[in-house]
Amino acid sequence: MTPPPAKPAATSPKGCLITTPIYYPNAAPHLGHAYCDVAADVLARYYRSTGQTVLLLTGTDEHGQKIARAAADKGISPQAHVDEQSAHFRDLAATLTMSNDDFIRTTEPRHHHAAQAFWRELAASHAPDGQSNVYLGHYAGWYSARDETFFQESELVDGKAPTGAPVEWTEEATYYFRLSAWQDRLLAYFRQYPDAIQPASRRNEVLAFIERGLTDLSISRTGVSWGIPVPDAPGHVMYVWTDALVNYLTAIDFPDRDSQRFQQFWPAKLHLVGKDIIRFHCIIWPAMLMAVGLEPPQQVFAHGFFISGGQKMSKSIGNVVDPFELVRRYGADSFRFYVMSEFAFGQDGDFQEANLAQRHNSMLANDLGNLSQRSLSMLQRYLAGTVPSWPDAARLETADNALLTLASQNLPAYHQAMTELAYHRALELIWQVITAANQYVDTQAPWSLHKQGSARLPIVLRVLTEVLAWLSVLLTPFMPGSMAALQANLQLPSDRANLVALTSHQPLLPDGATLMPPTPLFPRLDLSTFGKDGDDA
RNA sequence: GGCGGCGUAGCUCAGUGGUAGAGCAGUGGACUCAUAAGCCAUUGGUCAUAGGUUCAAAUCCUAUCGCCGCCA
């Protein structure tokens, strides 16, 4: 009834394709990868809960000179190197309880097939000016292997790339993509769909960049062997970005445009990216897609980066945070909750482990965990754990209705926040209900009702358990593990544990279930060790 | 160097012309179902600085300082 998303899922053939970037496995996964995984997963779980069919993708981008060199340094083959490195990213997704439906590796045969097919289509296509989209040219310029990027002489700073990476003079035959011819189409597209690039500040940057004029893009290399061969062009392999972007199509059976998955999931609903790669996703990728006659993704959303303790994370400062270690210490759900609640998605944030622990205690243990514990303990103690029947509307008093109304009133704003990826706002709305529920416990004082033998007691406890079920559904995208535990404790049937059932105006919980005694959802952490010198490593 | 953003309570931030706000942290109180949690109350800010416009400025304008982003 309430969600703004216009199409009811049941009648909509379109699914939601949600992607993270495929990560470059030249180093261990870091906090930024974990952040993006979590954000994508929260959204995917949210849309599934609303009844939509979701395809959530992540993976690794395994080609390029940098990978080949790292492998050579280790004295192993590139394939052995990426096999080992890619596994860490797969582990990270699992560690974070990410519900990805697939994990794309660009070294897989299916991806080679898709990437080469994409190239062929691109090469056979024509730009708006009537010329071929791909042409053979000659490249002479500076190349930074670390950035996998070409730079012009004027872009160099002290003889190095703007990023500080060393560059080498490179002269070779190369295929170009006629990006310059797509400038007007791109501008028209982004002006027609203002939400296609978010946040707005990134959109403005992209538009400004396009307006200044685009130059054609070198899309093949000859000096590199670790890559996907360009079809019918011996000696050429695809530039790593040309290859990598196609991964989003690989997963949906490209080049088979008639396949059910392709039909269902393209165009992608959302590419989540770091702000460092928006140009690839907002200029090159849409242009290439238009070139082969495919729609650009509906939205590219650039998330922010973390700093730590007010400084950029770097190994030399020693403030690098290992996501595996954090999950080991606090659990996946606390980690997920912290990064989703503390920061405005799309803005940079200062990641501080002490704040994570603080938030775990104050919001998860004290507010939510204790609400659950006190409610279910009283149910256990006063009513032998039996869920009371849902009362007739006439028996509900002002306080009951006020709490239930607040919950349902916040729902439209919750949906809006979720669809806008304003996760912290969604959680704030949920917490209003949690706070109200704790106030409700105090004002209704079930312990007094019990002493008085009041008929109000089962009503109040049923309202509380129902609100807990409600909260568990809204919070499942953020904290799937803990909320599953809560739902098991409440004996919420799995077919009721979603946003479709929640908006049905029917109580979520079955009457009369007998619940087991509760166990604390989020045990409190001892914070006395924070603020002192040494964290244990 | 150009363009843009930001600078508000100890911390994270909301607030774009009309009496300075929220959460967390701190302090006090009443309660006791609960993870010594929760609830109620409360301390705390010359809104970066200096000018200007206005009856009225955190909000609009100018300059300066600091941080950040994009571009060159």
Side-chain angles (χ1 to χ4, degrees), chain A residues 334-357:
Chain A
S334 277
F335 173 79
R336 292 168 62 110
F337 179 75
Y338 174 67
V339 296
M340 291 289 93
S341 64
E342 174 113 334
F343 310 104
F345 197 64
Q347 292 176 19
D348 290 353
D350 192 349
F351 190 103
Q352 298 199 44
E353 187 175 340
N355 291 350
L356 187 166

Side-chain angles (χ1 to χ4, degrees), chain A residues 3-269:
Chain A
K7 292 180 187 173
T11 61
S12 169
K14 264 307 180 196
C16 301
L17 175 61
I18 297 172
T19 70
T20 74
I22 48 173
Y23 304 120
Y24 206 62
N26 62 323
H30 57 65
L31 208 48
H33 302 119
Y35 188 35
C36 195
D37 279 0
V38 169
D41 187 50
V42 170
L43 199 68
R45 289 176 185 269
Y46 165 76
Y47 279 118
R48 287 195 199 104
S49 186
T50 64
Q52 310 234 20
T53 305
V54 171
L55 193 67
L56 175 62
L57 302 181
T58 186
T60 43
D61 171 19
E62 306 182 4
H63 291 123
Q65 198 170 13
K66 193 163 35 170
I67 292 283
R69 286 188 180 173
D73 288 347
K74 288 167 70 177
I76 59 176
S77 72
Q79 188 64 53
H81 176 62
V82 294
D83 285 349
E84 180 187 318
Q85 293 296 321
S86 176
H88 295 145
F89 289 84
R90 197 185 288 263
D91 288 349
L92 179 67
T95 298
L96 296 166
T97 62
M98 183 183 192
S99 61
N100 52 300
D101 299 287
D102 204 341
F103 187 96
I104 314 294
R105 298 185 55 189
T106 57
T107 49
E108 293 171 314
R110 62 171 173 164
H111 179 70
H112 277 239
H113 178 63
Q116 291 191 321
F118 190 87
W119 182 288
R120 285 199 180 90
E121 288 195 17
L122 200 62
S125 66
H126 294 275
D129 61 5
Q131 301 189 81
S132 174
N133 270 315
V134 175
Y135 63 92
L136 185 61
H138 182 80
Y139 182 84
W142 297 96
Y143 185 74
S144 159
R146 196 199 293 173
D147 302 310
E148 303 278 9
T149 303
F150 296 97
F151 295 102
Q152 296 171 4
E153 182 80 41
S154 61
E155 292 180 279
L156 299 186
V157 179
D158 298 331
K160 292 186 173 179
T163 57
V167 292
E168 54 199 271
W169 182 254
T170 305
E171 259 187 89
E172 60 187 40
T174 181
Y175 285 96
Y176 281 94
F177 170 57
R178 202 176 299 279
L179 183 62
S180 59
W182 290 94
Q183 186 172 327
D184 294 341
R185 296 289 180 93
L186 287 170
L187 284 174
Y189 183 81
F190 291 130
R191 285 180 179 138
Q192 186 178 357
Y193 301 104
D195 292 338
I197 304 171
Q198 287 290 316
S201 54
R202 299 296 162 199
R203 173 176 181 269
N204 293 339
E205 286 175 8
V206 170
L207 285 175
F209 188 87
I210 300 174
E211 281 164 357
R212 236 174 263 120
L214 298 175
T215 55
D216 292 346
L217 179 74
S218 170
I219 54 172
S220 74
R221 302 292 317 279
T222 55
V224 179
S225 60
W226 184 239
I228 297 179
V230 173
D232 310 318
H236 286 267
V237 302
M238 295 182 197
Y239 171 49
V240 63
W241 270 104
T242 316
D243 145 16
L245 288 163
V246 177
N247 93 87
Y248 302 127
L249 298 176
T250 297
I252 53 171
D253 304 336
F254 186 85
D256 181 5
R257 299 184 185 205
D258 296 326
S259 99
Q260 194 206 325
R261 276 208 293 192
F262 193 91
Q263 290 289 321
Q264 187 174 16
F265 290 110
W266 199 262
K269 184 168 189 73

Side-chain angles (χ1 to χ4, degrees), chain A residues 301-320:
Chain A
F301 196 111
H303 68 257
F305 286 161
F306 285 127
I307 56 174
S308 173
Q311 295 177 293
K312 277 191 177 178
M313 289 191 199
S314 82
K315 282 176 185 165
S316 54
I317 298 174
N319 61 351
V320 174

Side-chain angles (χ1 to χ4, degrees), chain A residues 269-280:
Chain A
K269 184 168 189 73
L270 174 71
H271 293 320
L272 274 184
V273 299
K275 60 185 183 181
D276 54 332
I277 54 174
I278 47 171
R279 206 179 298 171
F280 295 102

